[in-house]
Amino acid sequence: MFACEAVDLDLLNTAPIRLRAAVNVGRPPSEVFAALAHDPANWGEFFPGFDRSGRWQTPGPHGVGSRYTKRFIGITIEESVLAWDDGARLAFRVDATTAPALHAWVEDYHFESDGSDGTLLRVAIGGKPRLAFKLATPVLPRAFTLLMTRAGHNIERGRWFSTPTTNS
């Protein structure tokens, strides 16, 4: 594994790569939060590139300080939860990956009511890429927007599970 810096949410404002997206999801904030937070394997259901191998590495109940792994395009990613406000916010950092892609990476998800029965999902990412990942920098903003839009549509269509899991 390639270790990443143990950064906090300040990286969102100082990182060389800063990505932002806002997506409308036709599900209540509590359901969208559950899709992202309750089971790391769910990411394989709605995020293109992720598989269903995600698992909690710490026992429940889950929240700030919990750790999990996910796999994206064949790369295993270890992450730690930095913020967990049930139904409103989820943030995490990447602790290590099986590919030398990142020095540091933080993601912050905010779940806001859209005024009806839906969610305005606001996502912010801050990253310090290693050389190989720097080459992708020019396409990241557009690719990130497309990825979040696809994930939002998949969650809206019910491709998620709201029951918390402990992977026991």
Side-chain angles (χ1 to χ4, degrees):
M1 294 292 278
F2 293 89
C4 296
E5 298 170 22
V7 295
D8 59 24
L9 293 171
D10 290 340
L11 185 66
L12 294 168
N13 299 314
T14 62
I17 293 177
R18 290 179 237 167
L19 303 171
R20 305 289 186 268
V23 179
N24 289 301
V25 182
R27 297 273 185 173
S30 61
E31 290 183 8
V32 179
F33 178 88
L36 286 167
H38 288 178
D39 184 352
N42 285 350
W43 286 55
E45 288 294 320
F46 49 83
F47 269 110
F50 282 87
D51 66 22
R52 296 233 352 116
S53 67
R55 317 185 39 80
W56 287 105
Q57 300 301 317
T58 51
H62 298 111
V64 174
S66 295
R67 294 182 321 275
Y68 51 84
T69 60
K70 294 184 236 170
R71 196 164 58 199
F72 178 69
I73 60 171
I75 299 168
T76 300
I77 304 166
E78 295 179 352
E79 298 173 336
S80 293
V81 177
L82 299 176
W84 180 296
D85 184 6
D86 214 354
R89 185 180 188 197
L90 173 68
F92 54 86
R93 75 165 171 249
V94 173
D95 295 320
T97 69
T98 55
L102 309 168
H103 289 291
W105 193 265
V106 173
E107 298 189 22
D108 193 9
Y109 294 75
H110 290 263
F111 309 83
E112 304 167 13
S113 173
D114 69 359
S116 60
D117 289 331
T119 300
L120 176 59
L121 175 60
R122 295 184 189 273
V123 184
I125 290 180
K128 292 175 165 180
R130 293 182 191 258
L131 180 58
F133 196 68
K134 283 182 184 178
L135 299 174
T137 301
V139 300
L140 286 179
R142 180 71 178 134
F144 178 61
T145 300
L146 291 172
L147 180 77
M148 291 308 305
T149 300
R150 176 61 57 119
H153 289 304
N154 288 341
I155 292 168
E156 188 172 303
R157 289 194 301 255
R159 295 191 66 181
W160 54 276
F161 304 90
S162 62
T163 305
T165 182
T166 60
N167 287 333
S168 35

